[in-house]
Amino acid sequence: MLQEHVFEVENLNLYYGSNHALKNININIKRNEITAIIGPSGCGKSTFLKTLNRMVDLIPDVEVQGKINYNQVNIYDKDVNLEELRTVVGMVFQKPSPFPKSIYENIVFGPRTHGINKKSKLDEIVETSLKDVALWDEVKDRLHTPALALSGGQQQRLCIARCIAVEPDVILMDEPTSALDPISTTKIEELLQELKEKYSIFMVTHNMHQAARASDTTAFMLAGELIEFQRTEALFTKPSDTRTEDYIMGRFG
Ligand SMILES: Nc1ncnc2c1ncn2[C@@H]1O[C@H](COP(=O)(O)OP(=O)(O)O)[C@@H](O)[C@H]1O
Ligand SMILES: [Mg+2]
């Protein structure tokens, strides 16, 4: 059975060499919600995001302590299959990063590595994934043209579609709209509201207004610590920690 919490993070500490970048983080993240992480540059937002699918393992000299339970299994257990983990916990990066291939090939890449080769099945995945990100109508007549010819906003929606194509449970997004214009940003924010019906979304944003508009719960981090975690509306209207208040009032960057 699916749990109420998609992640339960217990006493999480992370060191880059001697730099203590995450300090005893405890947080439970609800399923089928959009959770935003805000905080000043360098406070550990991206690092925290990358602990949730063990992308931090790819960085040399990292030490992780503590537990992150996903569906009641600690993802830092030795026998966890990282490829499977990163399929169920997918990731979308800040800069749209399609492969230098066609739109179609970008989407079928993941499913093919999972052994799906039947053309009718791949066609179906391409269509449903592109429909899920509201890109189908814009590109259905040019599926075999280069993905890199799309606009930045379209490329980012394609990257979300590529992530969805392997049927993840959670989508991690690191400042997914910071490289986009305001109209593309609005499109992606609207899209997130639809995607959360199917997925749990955990998003770093440098933009407090985006967190306020688009998320259900918000976590505020400062210097590696989780300072406050609340329903988004409460955090922005009656923060319980003066450091949160100072940050959302713009008293420091
Ligand atoms: N690959 C890395 N190697 C060493 N230190 C890193 C690495 N990535 C981030 N850090 C350090 O970890 C801290 C948090 O960084 P980061 O998670 O990128 O913050 P944010 O995303 O909030 O800007 C910073 O002190 C940063 O210098
Ligand atoms: Mg970052």
Side-chain angles (χ1 to χ4, degrees), residues 29-245:
I29 298 160
K30 275 206 180 138
R31 184 168 281 288
N32 293 99
E33 287 205 332
I34 300 174
T35 304
I37 322 179
I38 60 168
S41 185
C43 71
K45 302 180 297 297
S46 297
T47 298
F48 181 36
L49 197 73
K50 286 186 284 192
T51 62
L52 297 172
N53 67 352
R54 291 189 53 178
M55 292 282 283
V56 281
D57 290 26
L58 304 172
I59 303 167
D61 212 16
V62 166
E63 188 186 340
V64 180
Q65 296 168 357
K67 243 178 161 179
I68 299 181
N69 290 331
Y70 167 74
N71 280 337
Q72 295 188 314
V73 174
N74 180 8
I75 63 169
Y76 283 88
D77 280 351
K78 274 190 210 65
D79 51 359
V80 165
N81 177 325
L82 292 185
E83 206 180 314
E84 264 171 40
L85 174 68
R86 291 175 190 149
T87 301
V88 270
V89 184
M91 189 150 185
V92 174
F93 298 91
Q94 181 167 2
K95 197 168 160 282
S97 50
F99 307 130
K101 293 173 179 233
S102 69
I103 295 168
Y104 187 95
E105 287 300 322
N106 264 273
I107 296 187
V108 300
F109 181 85
R112 273 208 189 110
T113 63
H114 291 106
I116 301 173
N117 287 305
K118 206 166 153 220
K119 183 173 179 301
S120 58
K121 181 64 188 166
L122 293 172
D123 288 353
E124 182 193 319
I125 292 172
V126 168
E127 181 168 344
T128 51
S129 307
L130 288 171
K131 281 183 172 162
D132 272 358
V133 299
L135 194 55
W136 174 250
D137 287 337
E138 290 164 54
V139 303
K140 62 173 189 266
D141 299 325
R142 47 176 169 142
L143 293 176
H144 299 284
T145 63
L148 291 169
L150 296 171
S151 73
Q154 289 172 325
Q155 288 186 20
Q156 194 61 309
R157 278 182 283 147
L158 177 65
C159 291
I160 299 172
R162 188 174 67 188
C163 177
I164 286 172
V166 293
E167 303 186 333
D169 181 30
V170 183
I171 307 176
L172 307 177
M173 300 188 178
D174 195 350
E175 306 198 12
T177 63
S178 66
L180 306 182
D181 61 82
I183 292 173
S184 307
T185 296
T186 304
K187 266 201 186 144
I188 292 202
E189 287 178 9
E190 287 169 357
L191 179 63
L192 296 180
Q193 305 308 318
E194 287 171 32
L195 293 177
K196 79 174 185 185
E197 309 280 323
K198 284 200 213 165
Y199 311 100
S200 306
I201 297 171
F202 201 76
M203 170 175 72
V204 169
T205 174
H206 63 296
N207 179 337
M208 273 188 279
H209 301 289
Q210 177 165 69
R213 280 192 302 265
S215 72
D216 300 297
T217 48
T218 298
F220 170 58
M221 289 181 68
L222 190 62
E225 282 182 73
L226 176 65
I227 304 295
E228 183 160 350
F229 179 55
Q230 295 214 50
R231 305 305 295 172
T232 295
E233 205 196 322
L235 186 131
F236 284 101
T237 54
K238 37 179 179 5
S240 58
D241 192 293
T242 53
R243 291 168 292 182
T244 314
E245 187 178 344

